[in-house]
Amino acid sequence: MTEPPLHAAQVDTPWGVLRMLATPEDGVVRAAGLDEGDRELRMRLAAPYAPRRIVEAGMDDAVAAVHAWLGGDLGAIASVPVEQPGGEFFQEVWKTLRDVPAGEPVSYQELAASAGRPRAMRAVGTACARNAIAVLVPCHRVIRAGGVLGSYGFGGVGVKASMLAFEAGAPAGRLPLIEASAKETDPAPASSMFGGAA
């Protein structure tokens, strides 16, 4: 029996095109990246899904959730079903990460504690680095100790800073400037900088 092709859809964001791949039989997003093509996304898929063809399809629920997030409903992305390959602890980290409120970034240590292993900061960092689903599993919400940005695998520290500023309520016109000037050692944008969460 031939497996159905993966569905692909994309949404323009201030940080590039968010491209998503999902299994049509259950609507679960299996990979997503910013300004990445299908070849890069296919490398992140679990083995059973990687050989499938990819076709453009609506993915209406996922696309609508991303548009809602971009429109200010910052919790909307948490409604999209996601799944990616990884061990038990990584799965717990990714699940916990989806519960981190927008505009309230957490440290690796805080995320480790929330995931049930308070001393596993490095493992949390590895889980974030191996995250295969940009934006929908919001690893941009994890910052280094002391409140500094740290790195970001989906476009770099500037994208991370700009996304955090967006979720903290920064005016849209400031996002490109924030993105262009950010450094890993900068403090993470917080909602208090912009008058509260959006």
Side-chain angles (χ1 to χ4, degrees), residues 120-176:
M121 290 89 63
R122 287 187 185 202
V124 164
T126 302
C128 289
R130 292 191 183 162
N131 177 21
I133 306 173
V135 178
L136 304 177
V137 178
C139 56
H140 64 274
R141 295 180 185 161
V142 184
I143 58 176
R144 290 178 15 198
V148 297
L149 288 169
S151 60
Y152 184 57
F154 291 109
V157 69
V159 169
K160 180 177 188 171
S162 181
M163 290 175 108
L164 288 171
F166 161 74
E167 291 185 332
R174 297 218 15 224
L175 298 180

mmCIF file of all heavy atoms in Angstrom, residues 120-176:
data_model
loop_
_atom_site.group_PDB
_atom_site.id
_atom_site.type_symbol
_atom_site.label_atom_id
_atom_site.label_comp_id
_atom_site.label_asym_id
_atom_site.label_seq_id
_atom_site.Cartn_x
_atom_site.Cartn_y
_atom_site.Cartn_z
ATOM 1 N N ALA A 120 18.745 19.107 34.398
ATOM 2 C CA ALA A 120 19.006 18.692 33.011
ATOM 3 C C ALA A 120 19.010 19.859 32.035
ATOM 4 O O ALA A 120 18.482 19.764 30.929
ATOM 5 C CB ALA A 120 17.978 17.641 32.594
ATOM 6 N N MET A 121 19.652 20.974 32.410
ATOM 7 C CA MET A 121 19.660 22.159 31.545
ATOM 8 C C MET A 121 20.299 21.877 30.189
ATOM 9 O O MET A 121 19.809 22.331 29.167
ATOM 10 C CB MET A 121 20.393 23.331 32.208
ATOM 11 C CG MET A 121 19.663 23.927 33.378
ATOM 12 S SD MET A 121 20.072 23.133 34.943
ATOM 13 C CE MET A 121 21.790 23.465 35.149
ATOM 14 N N ARG A 122 21.391 21.123 30.176
ATOM 15 C CA ARG A 122 22.056 20.836 28.901
ATOM 16 C C ARG A 122 21.187 19.960 28.011
ATOM 17 O O ARG A 122 21.141 20.162 26.800
ATOM 18 C CB ARG A 122 23.409 20.187 29.137
ATOM 19 C CG ARG A 122 24.414 21.179 29.657
ATOM 20 C CD ARG A 122 25.784 20.584 29.742
ATOM 21 N NE ARG A 122 26.671 21.562 30.351
ATOM 22 C CZ ARG A 122 27.959 21.567 30.210
ATOM 23 N NH1 ARG A 122 28.545 20.633 29.489
ATOM 24 N NH2 ARG A 122 28.693 22.482 30.801
ATOM 25 N N ALA A 123 20.516 19.010 28.596
ATOM 26 C CA ALA A 123 19.612 18.157 27.807
ATOM 27 C C ALA A 123 18.466 18.988 27.239
ATOM 28 O O ALA A 123 18.031 18.760 26.107
ATOM 29 C CB ALA A 123 19.074 17.010 28.662
ATOM 30 N N VAL A 124 17.980 19.965 28.006
ATOM 31 C CA VAL A 124 16.943 20.871 27.503
ATOM 32 C C VAL A 124 17.491 21.672 26.328
ATOM 33 O O VAL A 124 16.817 21.844 25.313
ATOM 34 C CB VAL A 124 16.423 21.792 28.627
ATOM 35 C CG1 VAL A 124 15.652 22.970 28.065
ATOM 36 C CG2 VAL A 124 15.549 21.005 29.587
ATOM 37 N N GLY A 125 18.728 22.151 26.452
ATOM 38 C CA GLY A 125 19.349 22.872 25.349
ATOM 39 C C GLY A 125 19.457 22.015 24.108
ATOM 40 O O GLY A 125 19.197 22.477 22.987
ATOM 41 N N THR A 126 19.800 20.751 24.280
ATOM 42 C CA THR A 126 19.884 19.833 23.141
ATOM 43 C C THR A 126 18.502 19.600 22.540
ATOM 44 O O THR A 126 18.350 19.565 21.313
ATOM 45 C CB THR A 126 20.521 18.498 23.573
ATOM 46 O OG1 THR A 126 21.816 18.766 24.116
ATOM 47 C CG2 THR A 126 20.646 17.540 22.405
ATOM 48 N N ALA A 127 17.482 19.453 23.379
ATOM 49 C CA ALA A 127 16.118 19.283 22.866
ATOM 50 C C ALA A 127 15.696 20.499 22.046
ATOM 51 O O ALA A 127 15.097 20.358 20.971
ATOM 52 C CB ALA A 127 15.132 19.048 24.012
ATOM 53 N N CYS A 128 16.017 21.691 22.526
ATOM 54 C CA CYS A 128 15.690 22.905 21.771
ATOM 55 C C CYS A 128 16.442 22.930 20.448
ATOM 56 O O CYS A 128 15.880 23.279 19.408
ATOM 57 C CB CYS A 128 15.996 24.153 22.595
ATOM 58 S SG CYS A 128 14.850 24.406 23.965
ATOM 59 N N ALA A 129 17.717 22.556 20.474
ATOM 60 C CA ALA A 129 18.523 22.550 19.255
ATOM 61 C C ALA A 129 18.018 21.530 18.240
ATOM 62 O O ALA A 129 18.153 21.737 17.030
ATOM 63 C CB ALA A 129 19.981 22.272 19.594
ATOM 64 N N ARG A 130 17.417 20.447 18.710
ATOM 65 C CA ARG A 130 16.919 19.398 17.811
ATOM 66 C C ARG A 130 15.445 19.562 17.457
ATOM 67 O O ARG A 130 14.885 18.733 16.743
ATOM 68 C CB ARG A 130 17.157 18.028 18.425
ATOM 69 C CG ARG A 130 18.630 17.701 18.478
ATOM 70 C CD ARG A 130 18.870 16.270 18.837
ATOM 71 N NE ARG A 130 20.301 16.015 18.943
ATOM 72 C CZ ARG A 130 20.804 14.983 19.566
ATOM 73 N NH1 ARG A 130 20.019 14.090 20.135
ATOM 74 N NH2 ARG A 130 22.114 14.821 19.624
ATOM 75 N N ASN A 131 14.829 20.598 17.945
ATOM 76 C CA ASN A 131 13.425 20.858 17.616
ATOM 77 C C ASN A 131 13.252 20.931 16.102
ATOM 78 O O ASN A 131 13.934 21.694 15.429
ATOM 79 C CB ASN A 131 12.985 22.173 18.271
ATOM 80 C CG ASN A 131 11.571 22.558 17.932
ATOM 81 O OD1 ASN A 131 10.754 21.719 17.541
ATOM 82 N ND2 ASN A 131 11.270 23.826 18.071
ATOM 83 N N ALA A 132 12.342 20.149 15.577
ATOM 84 C CA ALA A 132 12.112 20.077 14.130
ATOM 85 C C ALA A 132 10.931 20.915 13.675
ATOM 86 O O ALA A 132 10.592 20.918 12.495
ATOM 87 C CB ALA A 132 11.885 18.613 13.737
ATOM 88 N N ILE A 133 10.279 21.623 14.617
ATOM 89 C CA ILE A 133 9.017 22.288 14.278
ATOM 90 C C ILE A 133 9.073 23.746 14.733
ATOM 91 O O ILE A 133 8.616 24.098 15.825
ATOM 92 C CB ILE A 133 7.819 21.528 14.883
ATOM 93 C CG1 ILE A 133 7.869 20.057 14.460
ATOM 94 C CG2 ILE A 133 6.509 22.183 14.453
ATOM 95 C CD1 ILE A 133 6.842 19.169 15.117
ATOM 96 N N ALA A 134 9.638 24.593 13.864
ATOM 97 C CA ALA A 134 9.775 26.019 14.177
ATOM 98 C C ALA A 134 8.419 26.643 14.482
ATOM 99 O O ALA A 134 7.399 26.255 13.914
ATOM 100 C CB ALA A 134 10.421 26.755 13.001
ATOM 101 N N VAL A 135 8.412 27.603 15.347
ATOM 102 C CA VAL A 135 7.274 28.417 15.775
ATOM 103 C C VAL A 135 6.246 27.608 16.558
ATOM 104 O O VAL A 135 5.895 27.976 17.672
ATOM 105 C CB VAL A 135 6.599 29.171 14.598
ATOM 106 C CG1 VAL A 135 5.389 29.958 15.068
ATOM 107 C CG2 VAL A 135 7.592 30.084 13.887
ATOM 108 N N LEU A 136 5.746 26.505 16.023
ATOM 109 C CA LEU A 136 4.693 25.734 16.688
ATOM 110 C C LEU A 136 5.180 25.055 17.961
ATOM 111 O O LEU A 136 4.398 24.823 18.883
ATOM 112 C CB LEU A 136 4.097 24.707 15.722
ATOM 113 C CG LEU A 136 3.539 25.276 14.416
ATOM 114 C CD1 LEU A 136 3.055 24.160 13.506
ATOM 115 C CD2 LEU A 136 2.444 26.292 14.675
ATOM 116 N N VAL A 137 6.445 24.695 18.008
ATOM 117 C CA VAL A 137 7.114 24.275 19.247
ATOM 118 C C VAL A 137 8.082 25.418 19.519
ATOM 119 O O VAL A 137 9.181 25.464 18.976
ATOM 120 C CB VAL A 137 7.828 22.922 19.088
ATOM 121 C CG1 VAL A 137 8.547 22.545 20.384
ATOM 122 C CG2 VAL A 137 6.835 21.828 18.708
ATOM 123 N N PRO A 138 7.656 26.381 20.330
ATOM 124 C CA PRO A 138 8.311 27.696 20.393
ATOM 125 C C PRO A 138 9.619 27.738 21.190
ATOM 126 O O PRO A 138 9.708 28.341 22.264
ATOM 127 C CB PRO A 138 7.242 28.578 21.020
ATOM 128 C CG PRO A 138 6.460 27.646 21.892
ATOM 129 C CD PRO A 138 6.449 26.326 21.163
ATOM 130 N N CYS A 139 10.650 27.125 20.635
ATOM 131 C CA CYS A 139 11.947 27.127 21.323
ATOM 132 C C CYS A 139 12.553 28.531 21.388
ATOM 133 O O CYS A 139 13.484 28.755 22.168
ATOM 134 C CB CYS A 139 12.910 26.138 20.680
ATOM 135 S SG CYS A 139 13.184 26.382 18.931
ATOM 136 N N HIS A 140 11.995 29.470 20.628
ATOM 137 C CA HIS A 140 12.473 30.858 20.746
ATOM 138 C C HIS A 140 12.155 31.446 22.124
ATOM 139 O O HIS A 140 12.745 32.445 22.510
ATOM 140 C CB HIS A 140 11.875 31.738 19.633
ATOM 141 C CG HIS A 140 10.396 31.879 19.691
ATOM 142 N ND1 HIS A 140 9.547 30.967 19.099
ATOM 143 C CD2 HIS A 140 9.602 32.822 20.265
ATOM 144 C CE1 HIS A 140 8.293 31.343 19.312
ATOM 145 N NE2 HIS A 140 8.298 32.469 20.017
ATOM 146 N N ARG A 141 11.269 30.810 22.875
ATOM 147 C CA ARG A 141 10.892 31.303 24.202
ATOM 148 C C ARG A 141 11.845 30.852 25.306
ATOM 149 O O ARG A 141 11.602 31.128 26.483
ATOM 150 C CB ARG A 141 9.477 30.855 24.541
ATOM 151 C CG ARG A 141 8.433 31.460 23.630
ATOM 152 C CD ARG A 141 7.043 31.004 23.972
ATOM 153 N NE ARG A 141 6.089 31.516 22.986
ATOM 154 C CZ ARG A 141 4.882 31.014 22.807
ATOM 155 N NH1 ARG A 141 4.456 30.003 23.547
ATOM 156 N NH2 ARG A 141 4.084 31.523 21.883
ATOM 157 N N VAL A 142 12.925 30.160 24.947
ATOM 158 C CA VAL A 142 13.897 29.700 25.938
ATOM 159 C C VAL A 142 15.151 30.565 25.824
ATOM 160 O O VAL A 142 15.705 30.728 24.735
ATOM 161 C CB VAL A 142 14.252 28.216 25.740
ATOM 162 C CG1 VAL A 142 15.188 27.741 26.846
ATOM 163 C CG2 VAL A 142 12.989 27.366 25.723
ATOM 164 N N ILE A 143 15.570 31.102 26.967
ATOM 165 C CA ILE A 143 16.723 32.003 27.006
ATOM 166 C C ILE A 143 17.772 31.483 27.982
ATOM 167 O O ILE A 143 17.481 30.594 28.785
ATOM 168 C CB ILE A 143 16.285 33.438 27.382
ATOM 169 C CG1 ILE A 143 15.574 33.441 28.739
ATOM 170 C CG2 ILE A 143 15.385 34.025 26.286
ATOM 171 C CD1 ILE A 143 15.185 34.822 29.246
ATOM 172 N N ARG A 144 18.945 32.048 27.902
ATOM 173 C CA ARG A 144 20.024 31.629 28.792
ATOM 174 C C ARG A 144 19.838 32.219 30.192
ATOM 175 O O ARG A 144 19.066 33.148 30.397
ATOM 176 C CB ARG A 144 21.364 32.058 28.215
ATOM 177 C CG ARG A 144 21.714 31.260 26.989
ATOM 178 C CD ARG A 144 23.005 31.613 26.299
ATOM 179 N NE ARG A 144 23.955 32.419 27.006
ATOM 180 C CZ ARG A 144 24.942 33.085 26.424
ATOM 181 N NH1 ARG A 144 25.069 33.049 25.116
ATOM 182 N NH2 ARG A 144 25.779 33.790 27.136
ATOM 183 N N ALA A 145 20.600 31.683 31.131
ATOM 184 C CA ALA A 145 20.595 32.206 32.502
ATOM 185 C C ALA A 145 20.949 33.686 32.467
ATOM 186 O O ALA A 145 21.710 34.143 31.618
ATOM 187 C CB ALA A 145 21.595 31.433 33.352
ATOM 188 N N GLY A 146 20.393 34.424 33.380
ATOM 189 C CA GLY A 146 20.656 35.855 33.433
ATOM 190 C C GLY A 146 19.788 36.660 32.485
ATOM 191 O O GLY A 146 19.952 37.867 32.364
ATOM 192 N N GLY A 147 18.877 35.983 31.798
ATOM 193 C CA GLY A 147 17.939 36.682 30.936
ATOM 194 C C GLY A 147 18.470 37.081 29.577
ATOM 195 O O GLY A 147 17.838 37.865 28.876
ATOM 196 N N VAL A 148 19.621 36.531 29.165
ATOM 197 C CA VAL A 148 20.151 36.887 27.850
ATOM 198 C C VAL A 148 19.612 35.928 26.784
ATOM 199 O O VAL A 148 19.204 34.808 27.076
ATOM 200 C CB VAL A 148 21.691 36.936 27.829
ATOM 201 C CG1 VAL A 148 22.207 38.015 28.772
ATOM 202 C CG2 VAL A 148 22.296 35.607 28.170
ATOM 203 N N LEU A 149 19.638 36.400 25.546
ATOM 204 C CA LEU A 149 18.989 35.692 24.454
ATOM 205 C C LEU A 149 19.525 34.293 24.189
ATOM 206 O O LEU A 149 18.762 33.351 24.062
ATOM 207 C CB LEU A 149 19.104 36.515 23.164
ATOM 208 C CG LEU A 149 18.240 37.752 23.112
ATOM 209 C CD1 LEU A 149 18.636 38.623 21.931
ATOM 210 C CD2 LEU A 149 16.774 37.369 23.014
ATOM 211 N N GLY A 150 20.808 34.147 23.994
ATOM 212 C CA GLY A 150 21.354 32.876 23.541
ATOM 213 C C GLY A 150 21.133 32.730 22.049
ATOM 214 O O GLY A 150 20.777 33.682 21.356
ATOM 215 N N SER A 151 21.332 31.540 21.532
ATOM 216 C CA SER A 151 21.250 31.325 20.083
ATOM 217 C C SER A 151 19.856 30.836 19.674
ATOM 218 O O SER A 151 19.010 30.559 20.516
ATOM 219 C CB SER A 151 22.318 30.326 19.649
ATOM 220 O OG SER A 151 22.117 29.096 20.308
ATOM 221 N N TYR A 152 19.680 30.718 18.347
ATOM 222 C CA TYR A 152 18.403 30.247 17.802
ATOM 223 C C TYR A 152 18.657 29.593 16.450
ATOM 224 O O TYR A 152 19.198 30.228 15.534
ATOM 225 C CB TYR A 152 17.423 31.416 17.668
ATOM 226 C CG TYR A 152 16.033 31.030 17.213
ATOM 227 C CD1 TYR A 152 15.279 30.104 17.919
ATOM 228 C CD2 TYR A 152 15.471 31.598 16.083
ATOM 229 C CE1 TYR A 152 13.998 29.759 17.519
ATOM 230 C CE2 TYR A 152 14.181 31.252 15.664
ATOM 231 C CZ TYR A 152 13.456 30.340 16.391
ATOM 232 O OH TYR A 152 12.184 29.984 15.996
ATOM 233 N N GLY A 153 18.271 28.346 16.323
ATOM 234 C CA GLY A 153 18.562 27.572 15.125
ATOM 235 C C GLY A 153 17.697 27.873 13.920
ATOM 236 O O GLY A 153 18.018 27.452 12.813
ATOM 237 N N PHE A 154 16.604 28.578 14.086
ATOM 238 C CA PHE A 154 15.712 28.869 12.964
ATOM 239 C C PHE A 154 15.867 30.319 12.510
ATOM 240 O O PHE A 154 14.918 31.086 12.514
ATOM 241 C CB PHE A 154 14.254 28.600 13.345
ATOM 242 C CG PHE A 154 13.933 27.147 13.549
ATOM 243 C CD1 PHE A 154 13.681 26.655 14.815
ATOM 244 C CD2 PHE A 154 13.878 26.278 12.475
ATOM 245 C CE1 PHE A 154 13.377 25.322 15.014
ATOM 246 C CE2 PHE A 154 13.578 24.935 12.655
ATOM 247 C CZ PHE A 154 13.325 24.457 13.930
ATOM 248 N N GLY A 155 17.075 30.708 12.151
ATOM 249 C CA GLY A 155 17.264 32.048 11.618
ATOM 250 C C GLY A 155 18.208 32.915 12.401
ATOM 251 O O GLY A 155 18.514 34.032 11.987
ATOM 252 N N GLY A 156 18.668 32.454 13.554
ATOM 253 C CA GLY A 156 19.653 33.206 14.309
ATOM 254 C C GLY A 156 19.062 34.041 15.423
ATOM 255 O O GLY A 156 17.845 34.155 15.597
ATOM 256 N N VAL A 157 19.959 34.652 16.173
ATOM 257 C CA VAL A 157 19.584 35.391 17.370
ATOM 258 C C VAL A 157 18.704 36.599 17.044
ATOM 259 O O VAL A 157 17.831 36.961 17.836
ATOM 260 C CB VAL A 157 20.841 35.781 18.178
ATOM 261 C CG1 VAL A 157 21.674 36.821 17.463
ATOM 262 C CG2 VAL A 157 20.468 36.245 19.564
ATOM 263 N N GLY A 158 18.907 37.226 15.891
ATOM 264 C CA GLY A 158 18.069 38.372 15.530
ATOM 265 C C GLY A 158 16.613 37.978 15.371
ATOM 266 O O GLY A 158 15.709 38.690 15.823
ATOM 267 N N VAL A 159 16.374 36.837 14.740
ATOM 268 C CA VAL A 159 15.003 36.338 14.589
ATOM 269 C C VAL A 159 14.413 36.036 15.957
ATOM 270 O O VAL A 159 13.269 36.393 16.247
ATOM 271 C CB VAL A 159 14.975 35.101 13.667
ATOM 272 C CG1 VAL A 159 13.616 34.412 13.702
ATOM 273 C CG2 VAL A 159 15.336 35.490 12.238
ATOM 274 N N LYS A 160 15.200 35.404 16.822
ATOM 275 C CA LYS A 160 14.727 35.079 18.173
ATOM 276 C C LYS A 160 14.338 36.348 18.921
ATOM 277 O O LYS A 160 13.261 36.430 19.521
ATOM 278 C CB LYS A 160 15.805 34.313 18.935
ATOM 279 C CG LYS A 160 15.423 33.926 20.342
ATOM 280 C CD LYS A 160 16.544 33.110 20.985
ATOM 281 C CE LYS A 160 16.143 32.539 22.319
ATOM 282 N NZ LYS A 160 17.153 31.590 22.821
ATOM 283 N N ALA A 161 15.216 37.352 18.903
ATOM 284 C CA ALA A 161 14.942 38.607 19.605
ATOM 285 C C ALA A 161 13.685 39.265 19.064
ATOM 286 O O ALA A 161 12.836 39.754 19.828
ATOM 287 C CB ALA A 161 16.132 39.552 19.475
ATOM 288 N N SER A 162 13.529 39.268 17.754
ATOM 289 C CA SER A 162 12.362 39.890 17.132
ATOM 290 C C SER A 162 11.081 39.131 17.465
ATOM 291 O O SER A 162 10.041 39.739 17.748
ATOM 292 C CB SER A 162 12.583 39.964 15.617
ATOM 293 O OG SER A 162 11.502 40.573 14.985
ATOM 294 N N MET A 163 11.139 37.801 17.470
ATOM 295 C CA MET A 163 9.958 37.002 17.827
ATOM 296 C C MET A 163 9.561 37.248 19.280
ATOM 297 O O MET A 163 8.372 37.395 19.580
ATOM 298 C CB MET A 163 10.216 35.513 17.599
ATOM 299 C CG MET A 163 10.322 35.114 16.154
ATOM 300 S SD MET A 163 10.774 33.371 15.999
ATOM 301 C CE MET A 163 9.209 32.728 15.436
ATOM 302 N N LEU A 164 10.544 37.282 20.166
ATOM 303 C CA LEU A 164 10.246 37.545 21.576
ATOM 304 C C LEU A 164 9.664 38.946 21.750
ATOM 305 O O LEU A 164 8.718 39.138 22.526
ATOM 306 C CB LEU A 164 11.499 37.372 22.433
ATOM 307 C CG LEU A 164 11.974 35.936 22.635
ATOM 308 C CD1 LEU A 164 13.337 35.912 23.321
ATOM 309 C CD2 LEU A 164 10.966 35.119 23.418
ATOM 310 N N ALA A 165 10.204 39.907 21.031
ATOM 311 C CA ALA A 165 9.678 41.276 21.105
ATOM 312 C C ALA A 165 8.248 41.329 20.580
ATOM 313 O O ALA A 165 7.377 41.971 21.180
ATOM 314 C CB ALA A 165 10.577 42.226 20.315
ATOM 315 N N PHE A 166 7.982 40.623 19.484
ATOM 316 C CA PHE A 166 6.618 40.545 18.943
ATOM 317 C C PHE A 166 5.667 39.981 19.991
ATOM 318 O O PHE A 166 4.602 40.536 20.253
ATOM 319 C CB PHE A 166 6.610 39.676 17.678
ATOM 320 C CG PHE A 166 5.258 39.154 17.306
ATOM 321 C CD1 PHE A 166 4.303 39.994 16.748
ATOM 322 C CD2 PHE A 166 4.927 37.823 17.515
ATOM 323 C CE1 PHE A 166 3.043 39.512 16.415
ATOM 324 C CE2 PHE A 166 3.685 37.339 17.184
ATOM 325 C CZ PHE A 166 2.732 38.182 16.630
ATOM 326 N N GLU A 167 6.050 38.875 20.610
ATOM 327 C CA GLU A 167 5.184 38.239 21.615
ATOM 328 C C GLU A 167 5.062 39.078 22.879
ATOM 329 O O GLU A 167 4.103 38.914 23.632
ATOM 330 C CB GLU A 167 5.690 36.835 21.943
ATOM 331 C CG GLU A 167 5.508 35.862 20.797
ATOM 332 C CD GLU A 167 5.877 34.442 21.134
ATOM 333 O OE1 GLU A 167 6.744 34.222 22.014
ATOM 334 O OE2 GLU A 167 5.300 33.535 20.516
ATOM 335 N N ALA A 168 6.015 39.974 23.105
ATOM 336 C CA ALA A 168 5.965 40.853 24.275
ATOM 337 C C ALA A 168 5.194 42.130 23.988
ATOM 338 O O ALA A 168 5.023 42.956 24.876
ATOM 339 C CB ALA A 168 7.381 41.188 24.729
ATOM 340 N N GLY A 169 4.737 42.294 22.744
ATOM 341 C CA GLY A 169 3.909 43.449 22.407
ATOM 342 C C GLY A 169 4.627 44.590 21.727
ATOM 343 O O GLY A 169 4.098 45.705 21.664
ATOM 344 N N ALA A 170 5.817 44.344 21.181
ATOM 345 C CA ALA A 170 6.546 45.404 20.477
ATOM 346 C C ALA A 170 5.772 45.853 19.249
ATOM 347 O O ALA A 170 5.139 45.038 18.573
ATOM 348 C CB ALA A 170 7.931 44.913 20.057
ATOM 349 N N PRO A 171 5.816 47.139 18.937
ATOM 350 C CA PRO A 171 5.200 47.614 17.701
ATOM 351 C C PRO A 171 5.847 46.946 16.492
ATOM 352 O O PRO A 171 7.070 46.763 16.454
ATOM 353 C CB PRO A 171 5.490 49.123 17.706
ATOM 354 C CG PRO A 171 5.876 49.461 19.105
ATOM 355 C CD PRO A 171 6.435 48.208 19.713
ATOM 356 N N ALA A 172 5.047 46.573 15.500
ATOM 357 C CA ALA A 172 5.548 45.856 14.321
ATOM 358 C C ALA A 172 6.685 46.604 13.641
ATOM 359 O O ALA A 172 7.620 45.986 13.125
ATOM 360 C CB ALA A 172 4.405 45.602 13.348
ATOM 361 N N GLY A 173 6.643 47.904 13.638
ATOM 362 C CA GLY A 173 7.682 48.688 12.991
ATOM 363 C C GLY A 173 9.049 48.553 13.629
ATOM 364 O O GLY A 173 10.069 48.828 12.996
ATOM 365 N N ARG A 174 9.094 48.116 14.888
ATOM 366 C CA ARG A 174 10.382 47.961 15.586
ATOM 367 C C ARG A 174 11.020 46.601 15.357
ATOM 368 O O ARG A 174 12.199 46.416 15.622
ATOM 369 C CB ARG A 174 10.191 48.168 17.099
ATOM 370 C CG ARG A 174 9.726 49.562 17.408
ATOM 371 C CD ARG A 174 10.247 50.256 18.619
ATOM 372 N NE ARG A 174 11.398 49.767 19.309
ATOM 373 C CZ ARG A 174 11.462 49.687 20.637
ATOM 374 N NH1 ARG A 174 10.428 50.007 21.381
ATOM 375 N NH2 ARG A 174 12.572 49.297 21.221
ATOM 376 N N LEU A 175 10.254 45.620 14.861
ATOM 377 C CA LEU A 175 10.774 44.260 14.736
ATOM 378 C C LEU A 175 12.013 44.161 13.844
ATOM 379 O O LEU A 175 12.991 43.505 14.226
ATOM 380 C CB LEU A 175 9.675 43.296 14.278
ATOM 381 C CG LEU A 175 8.488 43.146 15.241
ATOM 382 C CD1 LEU A 175 7.478 42.171 14.674
ATOM 383 C CD2 LEU A 175 8.927 42.747 16.634
ATOM 384 N N PRO A 176 12.039 44.794 12.658
ATOM 385 C CA PRO A 176 13.253 44.689 11.826
ATOM 386 C C PRO A 176 14.494 45.277 12.501
ATOM 387 O O PRO A 176 15.593 44.734 12.383
ATOM 388 C CB PRO A 176 12.897 45.460 10.556
ATOM 389 C CG PRO A 176 11.409 45.449 10.498
ATOM 390 C CD PRO A 176 10.963 45.471 11.942
#
